[in-house]
Amino acid sequence: MSISALLPLLLLGVVVVGAQQEKTVCAGINGIPGQPGAPGQHGTPGAPERDGRDGLPGKLGPLGQPGRAGTPGVPGEQGERGEKGERGESGVGPRTAFSAKVGTYTPAAGSPVTFNVIITNSQGHYNPGTGKFTCAHPGIYYFTLYAHPGEKHLVVMIMKNGEVVSKVTGINYNAISGSVVLSLKAGNEVWLEMEAPYINFHIDAHRDAVFSGYILYS
């Protein structure tokens, strides 16, 4: 047989032998694991972004239950006694009152009638020399007069600081009386005068002329 005819057979034998040798190769032992690699370097920080838009407010939550009352604390010790305070004002308001009558004389028109016989004048706010009452405590006052005319007309005027407040008139020995309530400031004056020509003032052992006044309230 020629060499060219044997060549394919020889190649086939090589392939078969190689295949059988491959089947008989033993598996190798696993290698030792490698050591971990070194950590990598940090990356470059990213560029900042824009602020986000504000969100809508959330809904109001339900009202919580009221808490329980706390336990009363222990009473503290009694403090020291304080200093005595100043004396307070009296509950009684200012006092002023007077009453006076006329002695035997003939008053003149245009000047205060001098009630020069003191009945009551504890505070001294009425002056029997001038016939004038001077207000010392601002307030509301009550004044009264009582007199007798002669046979002819008599007109008595209640005066306040030179102004006529009220007039009382009478005739023929009939008693006359009058009263008035005035609001006075400190220093105000009140007195009685007779109006000309009606100055028929009559006083005797049985007839008095009396002028009185007192404070109602401050």
Side-chain angles (χ1 to χ4, degrees):
M1 181 177 294
S2 62
I3 294 174
S4 59
L6 291 174
L7 184 58
L9 294 175
L10 291 175
L11 291 175
L12 178 61
V14 172
V15 171
V16 172
V17 173
Q20 290 177 352
Q21 288 179 352
E22 185 178 355
K23 290 181 180 180
T24 59
V25 173
C26 295
I29 300 173
N30 293 333
I32 300 172
Q35 296 181 356
Q41 295 182 354
H42 292 289
T44 304
E49 290 292 335
R50 295 179 300 172
D51 291 339
R53 289 180 296 179
D54 293 335
L56 297 175
K59 294 182 179 180
L60 184 65
L63 184 65
Q65 296 293 328
R68 293 180 299 174
T71 304
V74 179
E77 297 181 0
Q78 184 174 358
E80 297 180 0
R81 186 181 182 86
E83 297 181 0
K84 185 176 181 179
E86 298 181 359
R87 183 181 180 87
E89 296 182 0
S90 171
V92 179
R95 299 178 180 181
T96 180
F98 76 94
S99 188
K101 63 182 182 180
V102 176
T104 303
Y105 87 110
T106 303
S111 60
V113 179
T114 305
F115 292 80
N116 54 353
V117 179
I118 296 298
I119 300 173
T120 301
N121 192 28
S122 300
Q123 294 77 29
H125 298 155
Y126 172 75
N127 187 338
T130 62
K132 294 182 177 181
F133 169 81
T134 302
C135 175
H137 305 293
I140 305 300
Y141 286 77
Y142 180 74
F143 295 93
T144 64
L145 69 94
Y146 178 79
H148 290 82
E151 292 182 355
K152 298 181 180 180
H153 279 94
L154 169 68
V155 178
V156 181
M157 301 180 293
I158 301 176
M159 310 291 292
K160 174 186 173 182
N161 298 332
E163 300 292 333
V164 178
V165 176
S166 179
K167 294 182 181 182
V168 181
T169 183
I171 191 174
N172 198 23
Y173 303 103
N174 292 315
I176 61 174
S177 63
S179 61
V180 68
V181 175
L182 297 177
S183 175
L184 301 181
K185 298 179 180 179
N188 287 170
E189 294 179 323
V190 178
W191 67 88
L192 303 183
E193 279 188 21
M194 291 185 297
E195 184 180 51
Y198 312 108
I199 58 174
N200 297 291
F201 202 71
H202 184 79
I203 301 172
D204 60 23
H206 306 288
R207 296 176 177 87
D208 282 326
V210 180
F211 178 36
S212 304
Y214 54 88
I215 189 170
L216 294 173
Y217 55 89
S218 60

